[in-house]
Amino acid sequence: MTPLARFSRRTLLATGTLTVTAVGAGLPSAGAASGYTNPVIDTNQPDPGILRVDQGYYLYSTAGSAGNMPVLRSPDLVHWRRVGDGQPVIAAWANSGRHWAPEVIEVEGSYHAYYTAWERATDRQAIGVAVAARPEGPFVDSASAPLLSTPEEGGCIDASPFRDEDGSLWLLWKNDGNAADQDSFLFAQRLADDGLSLEGERTRILERDQAWEIYTIEGPAIITHEGRYYLFYSAGEYWNETYGVGVAVADAIDGPWTKLSDQPVLSANDVAAGPGHGMPVRTVDGIWYVYHAWHPDHIGQDPGRQIWISKVRFDGGDVSIDGPSISNPQRPRTDYRP
């Protein structure tokens, strides 16, 4: 049994000082065709969610030594600096200690963070929404109850908001069935225009039906490409090398979704273990996947799940992600400046 088996999902938190590539004088311009080194963040930042803004990118991750909602900022997805705790005060309905996987989207001039927290009333994980005037926060959840609570299904986690091309807002999530000896599925449901409530009925969009998808399915994130919807998801046991990333495609957010392969498109190798739970991000030169991975010799130990980036490649009907690599000849083109 791995040492992590006795811990709840995502509760292993590394300590120490952030030692990411520094942002400052002397860095190359963000649009330059130069290489980069993975991991781009070498401290524990599990379950990264990325928000693109006019001047660059924000990264939000599962709670750790930097607070309930650690926030970092980058002009180019490579050089990162810590901003602080995006949600220093938790919601009234939540217990402290299990703030997981926040993702942020802009809604009507404000920033909405959809996040997972420990619901006091049910003793299960639930999904909340917190609002801020700026992408770095502070995010405030003033509701008396979660946005979504499904204790009968083991709870719900891994909220991922998405704005469709027609302007409609959607929320994806996973029921936390593996926390209650149940199966896990991915769901999608419309959000109200203000992003603060759900509308209509949910649709179950994806399930575990392939040999590599052991233990659970989770971490959904959607991006569009050439008129179709691509859903990146993770499956396997997050605490070891079985964890990886799959991709499904659809012509509508609520499906039907078709998995593109019976094997993960991103999986462990000799430099990274358990790569996954990330987000596809659009740049000038295409789409990149930002994700976490363990050092193979330190699974379940410091420095924890570090942040890596890999290029996503489309070839006809196929999608691939460049395998985890430490030295990479060309970094993303963002045309931002450090």
Side-chain angles (χ1 to χ4, degrees):
M1 177 180 293
T2 168
L4 295 191
R6 66 181 185 274
F7 289 95
S8 299
R9 185 182 184 277
R10 298 189 182 87
T11 56
L12 292 172
L13 304 176
T15 59
T17 304
L18 183 72
T19 55
V20 302
T21 304
V23 174
L27 291 175
S29 66
S34 57
Y36 70 95
T37 299
N38 271 320
V40 294
I41 301 175
D42 63 6
T43 53
N44 191 48
Q45 310 293 157
D47 314 317
I50 303 293
L51 172 69
R52 180 178 176 177
V53 297
D54 289 342
Q55 293 77 36
Y57 303 88
Y58 284 87
L59 183 148
Y60 309 86
S61 67
T62 283
S65 59
N68 299 311
M69 187 186 296
V71 183
L72 295 89
R73 185 174 179 176
S74 171
D76 56 9
L77 296 176
V78 173
H79 304 96
W80 293 90
R81 66 175 179 85
R82 191 182 297 281
V83 175
D85 184 357
Q87 192 181 12
V89 179
I90 66 173
W93 55 265
N95 286 325
S96 61
R98 297 184 191 171
H99 274 58
W100 297 346
E103 294 190 14
V104 177
I105 191 170
E106 185 177 357
V107 180
E108 298 178 346
S110 297
Y111 296 90
H112 287 31
Y114 297 85
Y115 68 99
T116 300
W118 183 6
E119 185 182 9
R120 183 178 301 111
T122 64
D123 199 32
R124 292 291 187 186
Q125 295 297 92
I127 291 171
V129 55
V131 180
R134 301 184 300 175
E136 61 267 34
F139 289 90
V140 176
D141 184 349
S142 58
S144 59
L147 172 69
L148 181 65
S149 176
T150 59
E152 69 282 0
E153 299 175 342
C156 48
I157 68 174
D158 293 357
S160 182
F162 175 78
R163 185 183 299 280
D164 202 357
E165 293 180 356
D166 64 2
S168 61
L169 288 170
W170 292 78
L171 189 70
L172 287 79
W173 73 90
K174 163 210 170 178
N175 75 291
D176 201 19
N178 51 279
D181 295 323
Q182 301 179 33
D183 207 349
S184 296
F185 304 91
L186 299 184
F187 297 90
Q189 189 170 346
R190 279 285 301 269
L191 283 162
D193 290 345
D194 64 4
L196 299 177
S197 62
L198 291 160
E199 295 185 338
E201 299 296 322
R202 71 181 188 178
T203 300
R204 195 169 82 183
I205 59 173
L206 222 58
E207 63 184 50
R208 295 190 307 121
D209 57 10
Q210 297 180 355
W212 73 273
E213 296 169 346
I214 63 173
Y215 182 64
T216 194
I217 186 171
E218 60 187 15
I222 290 178
I223 199 166
T224 58
H225 177 73
E226 296 183 349
R228 305 198 79 189
Y229 299 85
Y230 290 85
L231 171 60
F232 291 68
Y233 68 93
S234 295
E237 296 171 326
Y238 80 96
W239 60 86
N240 62 38
E241 68 280 352
T242 64
Y243 201 64
V245 177
V247 178
V249 64
D251 293 316
I253 298 172
D254 52 359
W257 289 89
T258 301
K259 294 177 182 177
L260 295 181
S261 173
D262 60 3
Q263 298 293 324
V265 299
L266 182 68
S267 56
N269 60 16
D270 59 346
V271 297
H277 197 129
M279 179 177 285
V281 179
R282 201 180 310 277
T283 66
V284 173
D285 59 345
I287 295 172
W288 292 71
Y289 192 64
V290 182
Y291 58 99
H292 71 230
W294 300 99
H295 189 290
D297 295 331
H298 298 279
I299 297 176
Q301 307 172 28
D302 288 347
R305 283 166 285 177
Q306 303 167 308
I307 301 300
W308 295 57
I309 61 174
S310 292
K311 187 69 181 293
V312 178
R313 302 188 186 276
F314 294 84
D315 182 12
D318 294 329
V319 176
S320 62
I321 303 175
D322 290 353
S325 176
I326 293 175
S327 298
N328 301 272
Q330 188 168 356
R331 59 191 172 98
R333 279 196 57 221
T334 62
D335 288 344
Y336 299 135
R337 304 291 177 178

